[in-house]
Amino acid sequence: MRIGVLGLQGDYLEHHQVLRRLGVETVDVRLPSHLEGVDGLIIPGGESTTIGALAERYGLMEPLRRMAEAGVPIWGTCAGMIFLARDVGRPQPTLGLMDVRVRRNAFGRQIDSFEVDLEIPALARVGDPRPFHAVFIRAPRIEAVGPDVEVLARLEDGTIVAAQQGHLLATAFHPELTDDTRFHRYFLEIVQQASRR
Amino acid sequence: MMNGEVQRAYGTVTVKRGLAQMLKGGVIMDVINAEQAQIAEEAGAVAVMALERVPADIRAHGGVARMADPEKILEIMEAVTIPVMAKCRIGHYMEAKILEALGVDFIDESEVLTPADEQYHVNKWEFKVPFVCGARDLGEALRRIAEGAAMIRSKGEAGTGNVVEAVRHARAIMGAIRRIQGMGEEELVAYAKEIGAPYELVLETRRLGRLPVVLFAAGGIATPADAALMMWLGMDGVFVGSGIFKSENPYKRARAIVEAVTYWQEPEILAMVSRNLGEPMYGIDVRQLTEAQRLALRGW
């Protein structure tokens, strides 16, 4: 299994490190040709405006959309989630693949960034349903989801912070900043299922 | 978080260092008004530094350089969706408190401003907002981290358009990190003392093979090639101060530097983005500066 990590900007190295710890081969994706032979793709945290601008200038938008349409799983964390969304409420380049409405900087500025334990029942699929320690940094939230989107996690006040639409996965927080590998394993399960098909 | 109780923790080391991790592979640009901030954001900056004057003008203006007018900082915060940083003077606890109260996303305790305390830097642990500090070598970087800095940048020689000092500082830090990889623990104790850094942080740096926080280049970066050079030297990203808005075509140059930081390993792309950028900022030979004019020598 080969997982690509979009390396235009952000904390892509942290994703590579978690994946390698899990024994998975990873590739840096900066140009369309780097997508060849990739079984799944992670879009890391960072600045969504920067990632979007670079993806547009270097011809990655259409290849990424085609890849998703062909069934290759994609997971976006934080900025990655924004980049996957259909609607972000302002003009900036996004892939528009996930039927969600996302609000950027939804919790405020950096001083409002926080850590919290989340209940994520879906993690039982990788054998361990204990709370997940989630890190939110100038994080977005999901304001509305379409009919094909499954909500995976909410904050105590009901705010949606993780969702899945078939082979597409989005988290408002950063599993790559913790030692907990369950979310990465959860994504790898989706990749495995997709490649069996 | 005990007994299954859901409690949010704010201002932790993880969220402070984490924001710096999100900036990696990006360019942070100095801006002095809302219009420049929007140009920076559109060009692909990951953050902007809100200033009253860019370092080249601070140099030319002389006198005491202080924290910017809060009105100016708020104007810039309202103009963009990316993080906004602002500078306080070295050791100026109250300027830092004011910047935190304004809600800036990162504070740069900066030698570009006139130092307020010639002995101590701000104790950054007691703030919820993260700090970035300048460093010339590993000892200085680790002292700042010991005081709570969540991010380190080279000092370079700001406002000169001359990358030579940023290269010197980057090489000093990266070279020292490589050297400690080969040291035994008994050597490390003596080395920590020699460079004036806490032993535990020297040990952690050796174990990680890098600083425990994100390390950016700053000071004198003026071209896409300069930015790519700093990435090649192992920096996580770059600050560009006077280099953008003191050049002939700021938007084009800003965009080119953003692309150079992402594609520093692709010389063909660097060649393409470096074409036709117009005049860069006028540079200064650092050797022509007197000690009093050298900003990098500030900080202890």
Side-chain angles (χ1 to χ4, degrees):
Chain A
M1 195 195 306
R2 261 176 104 186
I3 303 295
V5 182
L6 194 65
L8 298 175
Q9 189 274 321
D11 72 336
Y12 48 87
L13 272 179
E14 284 77 350
H15 278 292
H16 282 285
Q17 281 163 358
V18 179
L19 292 169
R20 282 181 201 147
R21 235 187 299 146
L22 294 172
V24 176
E25 189 193 342
T26 66
V27 275
D28 245 326
V29 175
R30 292 195 173 91
L31 293 167
S33 60
H34 301 160
L35 287 169
E36 254 169 65
V38 158
D39 302 303
L41 180 81
I42 294 179
I43 306 171
E47 276 308 314
S48 61
T49 48
T50 306
I51 293 170
L54 286 164
E56 209 163 53
R57 288 177 212 164
Y58 285 84
L60 278 157
M61 302 296 279
E62 278 316 307
L64 287 172
R65 288 189 186 117
R66 275 202 304 274
M67 202 177 94
E69 275 153 26
V72 177
I74 305 181
W75 171 24
T77 60
C78 194
M81 170 170 117
I82 298 166
F83 192 50
L84 280 176
R86 179 179 51 75
D87 179 3
V88 296
R90 65 186 297 277
Q92 72 177 64
T94 70
L95 293 173
L97 292 168
M98 263 184 101
D99 191 11
V100 293
R101 189 171 81 228
V102 167
R103 189 191 171 91
R104 288 183 57 203
N105 303 330
F107 300 92
R109 305 198 70 97
Q110 170 61 14
I111 42 174
D112 307 303
S113 293
F114 60 96
E115 301 177 49
V116 74
D117 282 350
L118 282 182
E119 297 288 341
I120 308 179
L123 289 180
R125 286 181 225 168
V126 287
D128 185 354
R130 273 177 309 154
F132 192 91
H133 190 68
V135 182
F136 291 83
I137 296 172
R138 283 174 51 94
R141 69 164 189 247
I142 297 175
E143 290 188 319
V145 298
D148 299 330
V149 179
E150 179 194 355
V151 172
L152 296 186
R154 292 177 188 268
L155 289 172
E156 72 286 357
D157 61 7
T159 306
I160 303 171
V161 290
Q164 184 177 346
Q165 177 185 321
H167 62 302
L168 304 173
L169 185 63
T171 55
F173 49 92
H174 296 280
E176 74 279 13
L177 293 187
T178 65
D179 291 327
D180 194 335
T181 60
R182 282 178 293 161
F183 236 104
H184 286 82
R185 283 187 278 139
Y186 183 80
F187 178 64
L188 294 176
E189 286 276 314
I190 298 174
V191 176
Q192 236 146 25
Q193 274 175 20
S195 42
R196 254 183 249 129
R197 254 187 282 129
Chain B
M1 261 160 280
M2 269 183 273
N3 307 325
E5 203 179 301
V6 180
Q7 229 166 24
R8 297 185 188 180
Y10 294 90
T12 60
V13 170
T14 302
V15 300
K16 290 203 266 187
R17 293 183 180 181
L19 178 56
Q21 285 169 279
M22 297 311 140
L23 301 174
K24 286 195 297 181
V27 183
I28 300 166
M29 302 181 191
D30 280 2
V31 298
I32 60 163
N33 55 40
E35 190 200 341
Q36 289 189 356
Q38 280 162 353
I39 292 173
E41 183 175 47
E42 211 168 298
V46 289
V48 291
M49 178 75 70
L51 296 170
E52 238 169 61
R53 290 192 187 92
V54 295
D57 289 334
I58 290 174
R59 239 173 228 296
H61 189 264
V64 174
R66 310 177 178 90
M67 172 188 84
D69 182 340
E71 185 64 29
K72 179 64 72 183
I73 296 168
L74 288 169
E75 172 197 325
I76 290 164
M77 283 166 60
E78 274 159 32
V80 291
T81 62
I82 55 179
V84 176
M85 301 184 165
K87 288 183 195 287
C88 76
R89 285 180 261 177
I90 289 173
H92 208 311
Y93 176 84
M94 290 321 302
E95 282 189 349
K97 278 285 163 191
I98 290 169
L99 292 176
E100 184 177 53
L102 287 174
V104 302
D105 298 295
F106 234 107
I107 296 177
D108 183 1
E109 187 183 16
S110 176
E111 71 285 355
V112 169
L113 304 182
T114 311
D117 190 323
E118 296 201 323
Q119 228 180 333
Y120 302 111
H121 284 247
V122 172
N123 174 20
K124 294 165 272 287
W125 293 114
E126 64 167 270
F127 287 77
K128 277 206 164 74
V129 62
F131 279 73
V132 54
C133 288
R136 283 161 293 185
D137 52 40
L138 182 60
E140 197 173 10
L142 296 182
R143 286 196 292 283
R144 296 293 85 81
I145 295 168
E147 294 158 1
M151 177 177 181
I152 295 294
R153 56 169 174 76
S154 66
K155 283 184 169 170
E157 193 56 48
T160 60
N162 189 336
V163 80
V164 65
E165 292 298 299
V167 169
R168 189 196 313 281
H169 303 157
R171 282 207 177 275
I173 294 168
M174 300 310 281
I177 292 171
R178 279 189 290 269
R179 276 194 300 282
I180 60 176
Q181 306 297 308
M183 287 186 194
E185 287 196 15
E186 68 288 355
E187 288 173 275
L188 275 192
V189 176
Y191 184 72
K193 193 178 164 197
E194 184 191 315
I195 65 171
Y199 172 66
E200 289 70 25
L201 285 178
V202 176
L203 206 58
E204 190 185 355
T205 303
R206 183 180 68 159
R207 181 173 56 79
L208 296 171
R210 55 160 293 138
L211 286 185
V213 303
V214 165
L215 171 62
F216 267 46
I221 293 156
T223 67
D226 288 349
L229 176 68
M230 299 317 298
M231 296 302 287
W232 175 71
L233 287 169
M235 302 295 100
D236 294 318
V238 304
F239 283 86
V240 186
S242 323
I244 288 171
F245 290 99
K246 284 282 161 191
S247 73
E248 193 183 335
N249 191 337
Y251 174 73
K252 207 169 168 191
R253 183 166 296 267
R255 218 180 118 142
I257 293 176
V258 167
E259 293 172 27
V261 166
T262 295
Y263 296 103
W264 64 272
Q265 289 151 300
E266 312 275 350
E268 293 79 14
I269 293 179
L270 295 177
M272 182 182 74
V273 304
S274 299
R275 288 166 62 182
N276 248 330
L277 296 181
E279 276 293 305
M281 73 177 283
Y282 185 76
I284 298 174
D285 184 345
V286 178
R287 287 168 302 183
Q288 307 296 319
L289 296 173
T290 66
E291 284 239 329
Q293 291 170 317
R294 296 278 305 277
L295 305 179
L297 303 180
R298 297 165 168 181
W300 0 102

